[in-house]
Structure formats: structure tokens, C-alpha cells
Amino acid sequence: MSKKVALVTGGARGIGLGIVHAFAEAGYAVMIGDLGAGAADWNYQLADAGALQRAVAAESGQAEVDACELDVTNEASCQQAVAATLERFGQLDVLVNNAGIVDSGPISEFSEAAWDRIFAVNTKGIFLMSKAALDALKASEAPAIVNTASIAGKEGHANMSAYCGSKFAAIGVTQSLSAELAPFGITVNAICPGIVGTAMWLDHLMPSNTTDEAQKNRNFQEVMAQQIPLGRPQTVEDMGQAALYVANARNVTGIALTVAGGIIKY
Ligand code: NAD
């Protein structure tokens, strides 16, 4: 097997698309799994069918890239995404569990439904996708699972207990699976992005009173540049590089690699 195949959840945009790009550039065939037509209401827009199509169009020039609709909170949907990957590309070597959502607010006002959905996507999604992919990964010569956790999985913040809790849990699942799957040669690692200017920040965590996307981005860059030791927010390219590294490092497993420009140091 010379060709390698990756499946990236939440890959239609943002950090996921950065990871898709890095793997495609490295010669992988890549299946993007994202909500598409199933994009449900959330406090900001998730990736709809148009986003899924645009992602494939953007990436398919340079590599074999395809997409399937996926809801990581639904076991049957996870099984279908793995089956679609095997049918399209014949194998699966790297599963990137990147899908994630955020909501914030004081616990007194935070809804049980929002709490449950954050954990369903950010934590249970890793379990369901890893379970669905297990047999295919066991058949790979160099299998890996990469989970997108967060620096919010290493340090808690006010008004962020659901998101931080789900990301601490994602790191716990990563460590546990790394031990459990080591006998099969499957590495399991997390990357912990710092602050990346995606929908999570621009549409929810740091909403701006302008609808001008370029201005929103400039405001974000300026604010974050002052707060981050290395002088800039992180990019989706930084995350693609980190995900590719942990997927290919054959003697690295169970780590949660912080990529945060010095915001936190562990
Ligand atoms: P994003 O909103 O652009 O990307 C998240 C993607 O996940 C979207 O495409 C969305 O449609 C998809 N998704 C949501 N629910 C899904 C479901 N049930 N099934 C399948 N796909 C689903 O935001 P992003 O910043 O690119 O987030 C990617 C990952 O990075 C998330 O896990 C997030 O928690 C994590 N993260 C982001 C930051 C940051 O600063 N942006 C920092 C740390 C960690």
C-alpha cells in the first residue's frame, strides 16, 4: 500500500479544511465528512451542503478529495462515512476527529440541550467515529487517529464549562485509546489549537458589530496579536502541519500537542 487515505470530520471549512489541505498536499487521498444538508440550527452557521461542495472544489485540483455527509453524533452516519471512504478509496489509514462546536455563557443561563450537544459532537463523536473506523484502521500498515482537542482541554475558563469539559474529555479519550489501541499499532494523539480565526471565534466567541468579513478578520488579528506571545493567532495551516506530524510519527502516541504560539506551554 503506497497510497494513504485520511478521513477528516468537520473537514468542510476552518481547521478541518486546513488539515484536509495538508494531507492532500502530502499525497493522501482525503474524504471530507461534514454535516452538509444535515446542518442543524446552532448559535452560528455550521457547514451546509454548499460548504461541502466548495471544499471539494477547492482541494480536488491537487489530489483525490471527495466528501460525504456526516453527523458524528449519529452511529449509523459514522459507519456510513467509513463505508463511503472504503468504497471510494479502498482503505483508511488516518481518522481525523476534528468536528466540533462551541457555546458559552454562565451556567445559570446555559441550557441542558446546548451542554448535551457540545458533548455529543466534541466527545461522543470521537468515540463513535473511532469505533466505526476500527476494523479499517486495523487493516492499515500505518494507522493513526488524530483528535482535534483544544487548549480549552488543558485549562478551564469562566463561561466555558461545557466546551472546556468536552475538550478535557477529548484528551482523556485520546490517552485511553492510545493505550488500548497500541497493540494494533494504531497511534492516537490530539492536537490542541490555540486561537484560530474560524467561525467559532468570528461568529461566536468574538462577535463583531461589522458584517464586513475582511474588517472582522482585521479586528481579530489585531486583538489576538497583542495577547499571544509569538505575536499572531494560529492558522489552519499550523493545524494541518501538526495533524500531519502526529499522524505520521510512528513512535508518538497519547500526546496532546499544543499549537498555540506560547499561550500555554504544556
Ligand atoms: P468551524 O466551525 O469552522 O469547524 C467545525 C466543523 O465541524 C464545521 O465544518 C461543522 O459543520 C462541523 N460539525 C459540527 N457539528 C458536526 C457534526 N455533528 N457532525 C459532523 N461535522 C460537524 O470551527 P473550527 O475552529 O475549524 O473547529 C474545528 C475544531 O477545532 C473543533 O473541534 C474545535 O473545537 C477545535 N478548536 C478550534 C479552535 C479555534 O480557535 N478556532 C481552538 C481550539 C480547538
Side-chain angles (χ1 to χ4, degrees):
M1 291 192 296
S2 54
K3 179 185 76 174
K4 291 216 278 182
V5 178
L7 167 57
V8 182
T9 77
R13 69 182 198 192
I15 290 172
L17 190 55
I19 293 172
V20 169
H21 187 72
F23 278 78
E25 263 196 343
Y28 282 71
V30 186
M31 180 65 85
I32 299 171
D34 211 313
L35 288 169
D41 289 342
W42 188 238
N43 65 55
Y44 54 95
Q45 177 67 45
L46 300 176
D48 59 12
L52 209 46
Q53 283 162 10
R54 284 193 296 280
V56 174
E59 294 302 322
S60 55
Q62 57 163 342
E64 284 189 291
V65 176
D66 209 338
C68 62
E69 289 193 354
L70 166 66
D71 179 352
V72 299
T73 70
N74 178 303
E75 184 160 32
S77 178
C78 294
Q79 289 164 346
Q80 281 159 18
V82 171
T85 306
L86 295 178
E87 194 179 329
R88 176 69 172 81
F89 297 123
Q91 67 197 61
L92 176 61
D93 305 284
V94 180
L95 169 64
V96 183
N97 289 311
N98 168 79
I101 55 173
V102 70
D103 199 358
S104 59
I107 191 167
S108 55
E109 289 162 26
F110 206 83
S111 76
E112 184 180 355
W115 178 282
D116 284 346
R117 185 147 165 219
I118 287 172
F119 272 82
V121 178
N122 297 3
T123 307
K124 189 172 86 170
I126 296 175
F127 155 64
L128 290 178
M129 279 303 304
S130 301
K131 186 176 176 186
L134 193 54
D135 286 344
L137 290 174
K138 282 180 183 173
S140 165
E141 284 172 2
I145 297 174
V146 181
N147 300 322
T148 305
S150 174
I151 55 169
K154 294 191 167 185
E155 195 172 286
H157 298 276
N159 298 325
M160 293 288 286
S161 55
Y163 185 74
C164 291
S166 74
K167 292 297 186 180
F168 270 76
I171 292 174
V173 173
T174 301
Q175 288 184 7
S176 301
L177 286 182
S178 74
E180 184 175 329
L181 302 183
F184 305 105
I186 302 172
T187 63
V188 187
N189 294 290
I191 60 167
C192 294
I195 294 175
V196 188
T198 65
M200 281 195 177
W201 270 99
L202 299 176
D203 296 343
H204 177 70
L205 293 170
M206 201 186 109
S208 170
N209 49 14
T210 172
T211 50
D212 178 343
E213 292 301 320
Q215 186 58 44
K216 258 198 212 180
N217 263 309
R218 276 195 297 276
N219 294 347
F220 172 82
Q221 294 285 336
E222 273 171 30
V223 169
M224 294 308 167
Q226 287 164 17
Q227 296 178 11
I228 298 174
L230 281 179
R232 65 164 175 84
Q234 287 65 67
T235 63
V236 301
E237 289 79 14
D238 294 328
M239 302 312 145
Q241 187 182 52
L244 194 59
Y245 167 70
V246 291
N248 283 311
R250 297 315 305 160
N251 205 39
V252 174
T253 197
I255 70 161
L257 177 63
T258 296
V259 185
I263 299 171
I264 66 170
K265 297 160 193 68
Y266 59 94

